[in-house]
């Protein structure tokens, strides 16, 4: 029988009905410590009073007008994003995928306006940029693209460790290079600062535009507002989503004046993008997260979480191999199947998120408390014990 919900997800058996900070409460009353945060979305946890206040206040004022008119909240949030980043201009979307669409269109339009035949986009193996035709073509992995051909042409992928291949691929024919500074779906793989700097140099030499996909690693996740700040360089175009809305659907493309020069009136649009509800929430998220004291606390907590996770890994060498990642974007590289570790976590009432390369992602709300971090380690330890017990010969 066909289910009334298109069965594109194999869902875990929990049914959550309420959230409080780093906790999710299921229909049956069980309380789970949420180390997934809706896949790096709920940066301030669930039902944060300031976000609830911003959303409910705006809900009583105005929901939607379309982009036929000026939207004051867009101007406020865009000004803030421009002030905090490399960017000169912002377009608001409803998701990361939509941000990818615009990033690619913007790069191609840039070269079109210059009268140059440059439309190839260089991406990287293991990457993820969303599920649209451009997103799956940019990432290239067979599990995303199989059966959906013909794919959008003009994309290639390279291993980011293969410097020679990158040198060969990125030429004065390349429109843009797209990369996640920390790969998320790919298994929490930080791209070394030196590589990001090298890409910046190569793009400067060839003129190719550099696109950073910070949909997962941005908005405070690594302890800086945006992950690329650690490398001391900036992109020409940046995709943002997930954390920026704290759980409300919101994405954005940030760009320099130069890179965005082709995007004139009528060249792109969105019915819902930048609607007043999303703007009210995004503005409040930025007020809280784009604050040096808040980010310093994320870095401090990240140290604590990493230390606790190292302890869990050391205690269960049959289950785990290592901890990797940056800030509160961490991955447990597993020896046991990551699905087993995640399922054991459900039994121990702690939520992780699977990723490629047999990794369990640990992406807690950025305002998780020290006590909750310690509790997370206790529960993950319990899960690891259960995985060991299941593996042990009877
Ligand atoms: C989640 C994600 C996307 C897609 O975002 P959606 O909001 O799901 O469309 C794109 N890029 C990266 C790096 C992501 O993690």
């Amino acid at each position: 029988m066909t289910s009334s919900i298109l069965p594109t997800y194999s869902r875990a058996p929990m049914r959550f009905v309420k959230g409080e900070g780093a906790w999710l409460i299921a229909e049956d009353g069980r309380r789970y410590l949420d180390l997934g945060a809706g896949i790096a979305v709920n940066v301030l946890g669930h039902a944060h009073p300031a976000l609830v206040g911003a959303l409910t206040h705006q809900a009583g004022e105005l929901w939607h007008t379309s982009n036929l008119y000026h939207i004051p909240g867009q101007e406020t949030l865009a000004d803030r994003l421009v002030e905090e980043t490399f960017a000169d201009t912002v377009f608001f979307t409803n998701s990361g995928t939509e941000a990818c669409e615009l990033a690619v269109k913007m790069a191609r339009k840039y070269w079109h306006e210059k009268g140059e035949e440059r439309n190839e986009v260089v991406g990287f193996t293991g990457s993820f940029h969303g599920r649209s035709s451009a997103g799956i073509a940019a990432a290239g992995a067979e599990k995303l693209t199989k059966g959906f051909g013909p794919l959008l042409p003009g994309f290639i992928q390279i291993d980011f460790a293969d410097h020679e291949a990158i040198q060969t691929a990125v030429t004065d024919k390349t429109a843009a290079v797209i990369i996640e500074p920390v790969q998320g779906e790919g298994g929490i793989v930080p791209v070394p600062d030196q590589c990001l700097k090298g890409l910046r140099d190569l793009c400067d030499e060839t003129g190719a535009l550099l696109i950073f996909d910070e949909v997962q690693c941005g908005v405070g996740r690594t302890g800086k507002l945006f992950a690329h700040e650690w490398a001391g360089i900036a992109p020409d175009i940046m995709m943002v989503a997930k954390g920026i809305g704290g759980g409300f659907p919101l994405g954005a493309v940030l760009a320099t004046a130069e890179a965005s020069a082709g995007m004139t009136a009528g060249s792109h649009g969105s019915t819902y993008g930048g609607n007043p509800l999303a703007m009210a929430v995004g503005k409040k998220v930025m007020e809280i997260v784009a604050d040096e004291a808040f980010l310093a606390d994320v870095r401090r907590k990240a140290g604590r979480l990493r230390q606790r996770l190292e302890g869990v890994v050391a205690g269960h060498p049959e289950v785990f191999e290592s901890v990797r990642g940056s800030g509160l974007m961490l991955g447990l590289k597993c020896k046991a199947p990551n699905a087993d570790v995640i399922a054991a976590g459900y039994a121990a009432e702690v939520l992780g998120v699977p990723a490629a390369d047999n990794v369990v992602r640990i992406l807690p709300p950025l305002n998780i408390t020290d006590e909750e971090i310690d509790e997370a380690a206790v529960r993950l330890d319990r899960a690891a014990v259960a995985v060991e017990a299941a593996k042990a010969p009877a």
Side-chain angles (χ1 to χ4, degrees), residues 171 189 299 357 372 374 392:
T171 67
V189 185
R299 296 192 289 273
D357 198 29
E372 287 162 344
D374 296 351

Side-chain angles (χ1 to χ4, degrees), residues 286-301:
M286 281 295 289
E287 275 173 25
I288 296 171
V289 175
D291 172 74
E292 193 35 53
F294 182 90
L295 292 169
D297 206 41
V298 170
R299 296 192 289 273
R300 185 190 61 74
K301 282 180 201 161

Side-chain angles (χ1 to χ4, degrees), residues 9 39 94-100 127-131 180 182-185 213-217 239 241-242 250 329 361:
Y9 283 96
I39 318 184
N94 306 287
S95 69
T97 301
E98 287 171 61
C100 178
S127 62
F128 183 79
H129 302 297
R131 299 290 197 139
E180 301 163 76
V182 184
Q183 285 188 351
E185 303 301 311
D213 180 347
E214 292 231 16
V215 169
Q216 194 159 151
C217 62
M239 297 153 53
K242 293 200 165 98
L250 171 60
M329 184 174 185
R361 272 178 283 179

Side-chain angles (χ1 to χ4, degrees), residues 71-338:
I71 296 175
Q74 278 190 21
E75 289 155 19
T76 313
L77 182 54
D79 285 350
R80 182 78 198 253
L81 287 166
V82 163
E83 189 186 308
E84 299 284 350
T85 67
F86 71 95
D88 302 310
T89 189
V90 180
F91 182 93
F92 291 108
T93 69
N94 306 287
S95 69
T97 301
E98 287 171 61
C100 178
E101 289 296 315
L102 173 56
V104 169
K105 284 177 69 177
M106 183 183 282
R108 287 180 166 174
K109 188 71 160 27
Y110 173 81
W111 292 111
H112 175 81
E113 293 296 311
K114 283 194 177 290
E116 289 191 44
E117 197 43 54
R118 288 176 73 155
N119 52 42
E120 190 168 278
V121 178
V122 175
F124 294 88
T125 48
S127 62
F128 183 79
H129 302 297
R131 299 290 197 139
S132 64
S133 295
I136 63 174
E142 193 184 284
K143 72 168 203 192
L144 299 172
T145 58
K146 198 173 175 201
F148 297 115
L151 295 181
L152 194 64
F155 293 84
I156 59 163
Q157 292 80 32
I158 300 179
D159 179 345
F160 70 72
D162 190 344
H163 296 167
E164 241 170 76
I166 295 173
Q167 293 278 347
T168 311
V170 180
T171 67
D172 59 7
K173 292 279 168 274
T174 309
V177 174
I178 182 168
I179 190 164
E180 301 163 76
V182 184
Q183 285 188 351
E185 303 301 311
I188 310 292
V189 185
V191 177
D193 290 352
Q194 278 313 113
C195 287
L196 292 178
K197 284 185 188 152
L199 277 178
R200 179 70 271 176
D201 289 344
L202 193 54
C203 286
D204 289 342
E205 282 159 31
T206 58
L209 297 173
L210 184 56
I211 303 171
F212 284 162
D213 180 347
E214 292 231 16
V215 169
Q216 194 159 151
C217 62
V219 193
R221 181 65 39 201
T222 67
K224 299 264 192 194
L225 186 56
F226 290 103
H228 69 265
E229 294 170 27
W230 289 107
I233 47 112
D236 302 293
I237 299 172
M238 179 166 71
M239 297 153 53
V240 180
K242 293 200 165 98
I244 186 84
F248 197 90
L250 171 60
V253 173
L254 278 62
T256 62
E258 171 74 10
S260 63
M263 303 306 294
T264 49
S267 63
H268 194 66
S270 168
T271 298
Y272 293 126
N275 71 79
L277 295 171
M279 295 303 95
V281 180
K283 173 173 169 264
K284 188 56 75 177
V285 168
M286 281 295 289
E287 275 173 25
I288 296 171
V289 175
D291 172 74
E292 193 35 53
F294 182 90
L295 292 169
D297 206 41
V298 170
R299 296 192 289 273
R300 185 190 61 74
K301 282 180 201 161
R304 186 184 188 101
L305 177 61
R306 187 157 190 138
Q307 200 178 33
R308 295 293 180 277
L309 294 180
E310 297 282 6
V312 174
V313 166
H316 303 279
E318 306 282 295
V319 178
F320 299 113
E321 197 171 296
S322 59
V323 185
R324 65 196 194 196
S326 171
L328 290 176
M329 184 174 185
L330 296 173
L332 297 170
K333 166 80 173 157
C334 297
K335 276 190 198 149
N338 62 349

